[in-house]
Amino acid sequence: MKSQQTFVAFRGYRLVARGSVEAIVARLHPLSSAAQADLRLLDETTGRTVDFDWRGDADAVVERARAQLADKGKGRPRLGVESREITLLPRHWKWLEAQGGSASAALRTLVDREMKQVGQSRADIDALYWQMSALAGDLPGFEEATRCLYSADRDEVERIFRGWPEDLGGYFIERLGGGTADEGGRQSGLPAED
């Protein structure tokens, strides 16, 4: 699991918890099962919805969540390197061979350099899109916000976000700017238990 991995929990359009697995569990574990079921919990790194098994004490929930989120797949074959075929023109192969080392190493260097030069990465934008889909897919302006997000029209997407209810717009504006949660888990009002 990445040390920077943060999560966010919404109930409706209200932000109720944000932070590490430990911060999220500390904040949400005391809620009733019904209140926990009303929450939408998302991984900020991927934008995908996650579900924690809330049974047992907080330590057991954290332990199960860590196991569920364990990052599998980094490094060489057993650790996540994928071998795929690519097609290049002869001049491309010639250039790669002239770089010294393997063609794979030269390609990885080029890809890494390009990834560093890009402002907000495609993965960050995709994660924001998945969060928008889960939390705001039924709101007016969602489709236009998506188009603006992917066309890098920051002013227009922020204008749309500002029209969204409660904590949602501000949260997405912060995410668009690359903001991250503090380790303590910034949160607004905790939802009342039902």
Side-chain angles (χ1 to χ4, degrees), residues 39-59:
L39 297 172
R40 292 214 179 156
L41 183 60
L42 296 108
D43 179 340
E44 286 193 325
T45 305
T46 65
R48 301 295 183 154
T49 302
V50 294
D51 292 312
F52 290 168
D53 179 351
W54 296 101
R55 294 175 297 156
D57 65 12
D59 290 337

Side-chain angles (χ1 to χ4, degrees), residues 131-169:
Q131 286 185 302
M132 288 169 50
S133 294
L135 299 170
D138 59 346
L139 291 178
F142 170 76
E143 291 87 2
E144 183 63 21
T146 299
R147 282 190 289 277
C148 292
L149 177 66
Y150 280 99
S151 66
D153 187 349
R154 185 183 174 105
D155 293 338
E156 184 61 15
V157 77
E158 282 189 25
R159 184 193 65 74
I160 295 167
F161 288 164
R162 281 189 190 91
W164 286 355
E166 299 184 40
D167 298 331
L168 207 54

Side-chain angles (χ1 to χ4, degrees), residues 165-183:
E166 299 184 40
D167 298 331
L168 207 54
Y171 172 74
F172 284 132
I173 289 170
E174 180 185 339
R175 291 285 290 148
L176 185 63
T180 57
D182 59 19
E183 186 60 26

Side-chain angles (χ1 to χ4, degrees), residues 16-35:
V16 294
R18 187 174 184 193
S20 66
V21 170
E22 295 81 7
I24 289 289
V25 170
R27 183 76 171 158
L28 302 178
H29 188 264
L31 298 177
S32 69
S33 297

